Amino acid sequence: MTAVRELLMDAPVIAAVKDDAGLYRALASDCQAIFLLHGSILNVGEMVTKIHSHRKLCFVHIDLIEGFSSREIAVDGLVRLCRPDGIISPRLPLIRRAQQLGITTVL
């Protein structure tokens, strides 16, 4: 079992963050994982770093991050930019690319 799966089995509640206020509440909460559902290419790296500094997992919904396209290369860019723990997307090509890069995915 992967470390991500084990952590989610132990702490199954995931905070879904849609704005900065929600991010601060999620960071102060007992949740061990955060779904990042907002941001832009300009601040996503900072938000992922902040989440990681609180020792929480960060899953980025790439389709909701302003400035990224819906092409596979966007996954490469996001991974290089901020190395999230996981990628969320309803787009199968993006999910496949994230899996090729070794990133946990949520379809």
Side-chain angles (χ1 to χ4, degrees):
M1 190 178 296
T2 67
V4 171
R5 180 174 273 169
E6 286 180 21
L7 185 130
L8 292 176
M9 293 290 283
D10 291 339
V13 176
I14 300 171
V17 173
K18 297 180 184 178
D19 55 33
D20 290 338
L23 177 58
Y24 292 113
R25 285 193 306 272
L27 292 173
S29 76
D30 292 334
C31 292
Q32 295 301 306
I34 296 174
F35 281 1
L36 190 56
L37 308 178
H38 83 291
S40 75
I41 195 169
L42 300 176
N43 66 2
V44 68
E46 179 182 320
M47 288 190 288
V48 172
T49 298
K50 188 175 290 190
I51 292 167
H52 285 160
S53 73
H54 283 80
R55 298 183 179 223
K56 296 178 186 272
L57 298 178
C58 181
F59 294 81
V60 175
H61 195 311
I62 193 167
D63 300 287
L64 300 180
I65 302 300
E66 195 173 340
F68 282 111
S69 73
S70 60
R71 299 174 56 140
E72 291 98 357
I73 193 71
V75 176
D76 293 71
L78 181 64
V79 169
R80 284 186 187 175
L81 181 66
C82 58
R83 195 69 181 167
D85 299 292
I87 301 285
I88 305 165
S89 178
R91 302 173 192 272
L92 195 53
L94 300 183
I95 294 295
R96 285 186 184 132
R97 182 60 187 147
Q99 290 172 338
Q100 289 170 349
L101 296 174
I103 302 297
T104 301
T105 58
V106 177
L107 177 63

